[in-house]
Amino acid sequence: MSEFTNQNQFTPSTVTPQENPSGFSFENVHRNAMIEQMSKKAAVGTNAPVGYLPQATKTGTTIVGLVYKGGVVLGADTRATGGSEVADKNCEKIHFLAPNIYCCGAGTAADTEKTTEIISSQLELLRMNTGGAQSRIVTACTLLKRMLFRYQGHVSAALVL
């Protein structure tokens, strides 16, 4: 993030990477310190109190995918909203694509559901044509990105594959 870089401060290029990085990463510590300094300077010229920090923006859906040594974990919330109102408290946001592939979806519920349904059927047809072999992740990713690109942003689906 260029607005948080300072030539006199820490930059990622000055750090030598570890051979096998493990554990929690503290690389945002310097960014957070820079935000705090900026907020103290901004408070002097505004009505904001000293130490004012920017607030997190609530954007709606929470989806996450974590990779670990033995596989992948997908997680999602279950609430669907229509504007500021909760439309459905039990919305499925983890979608089946193939026996070995699932994805998390955010955006318009109908778009994510239909998109994953279409990709799932295309993967099933491909498995039938290739003798029943497992679907490849790269194939699902390619089908998804081609479909989303074809509609040039008119399909409101954000997917974690």
Side-chain angles (χ1 to χ4, degrees):
M1 300 173 70
S2 61
E3 63 269 16
F4 298 120
T5 58
N6 185 343
Q7 299 305 324
N8 299 331
Q9 294 285 334
F10 166 84
T11 57
S13 62
T14 61
V15 175
T16 57
Q18 297 176 351
E19 291 294 320
N20 293 321
S22 62
F24 190 77
S25 172
F26 292 96
E27 63 186 29
N28 284 337
V29 170
H30 301 288
R31 178 191 66 98
N32 294 343
M34 181 67 79
I35 290 174
E36 191 171 357
Q37 285 178 353
M38 289 172 57
S39 69
K40 288 177 182 176
K41 290 178 186 176
V44 173
T46 64
N47 294 333
V50 174
Y52 172 79
L53 293 174
Q55 298 299 311
T57 304
K58 295 182 181 178
T59 58
T61 297
T62 302
I63 57 175
V64 64
L66 301 170
V67 179
Y68 67 99
K69 189 175 183 178
V72 176
V73 176
L74 296 176
D77 66 338
T78 58
R79 188 181 63 180
T81 58
S84 62
E85 299 158 359
V86 176
D88 185 6
K89 291 183 181 179
N90 194 16
C91 177
E92 292 291 328
K93 295 183 183 176
I94 300 178
H95 303 278
F96 171 86
L97 292 180
N100 62 324
I101 304 173
Y102 285 80
C103 73
C104 292
T108 305
D111 286 349
T112 58
E113 189 67 36
K114 194 62 176 177
T115 299
T116 55
E117 184 182 306
I118 290 169
I119 299 304
S120 179
S121 69
Q122 289 178 349
L123 287 171
E124 178 68 26
L125 289 172
L126 187 62
R127 278 194 308 278
M128 288 180 191
N129 282 337
T130 58
Q134 274 193 347
S135 298
R136 295 175 57 207
I137 304 294
V138 69
T139 304
C141 186
T142 302
L143 291 171
L144 276 168
K145 70 182 178 183
R146 284 182 182 171
M147 180 181 175
L148 294 175
F149 182 78
R150 183 181 317 127
Y151 290 101
Q152 296 290 307
H154 293 288
V155 174
S156 176
L159 300 164
V160 174
L161 181 62

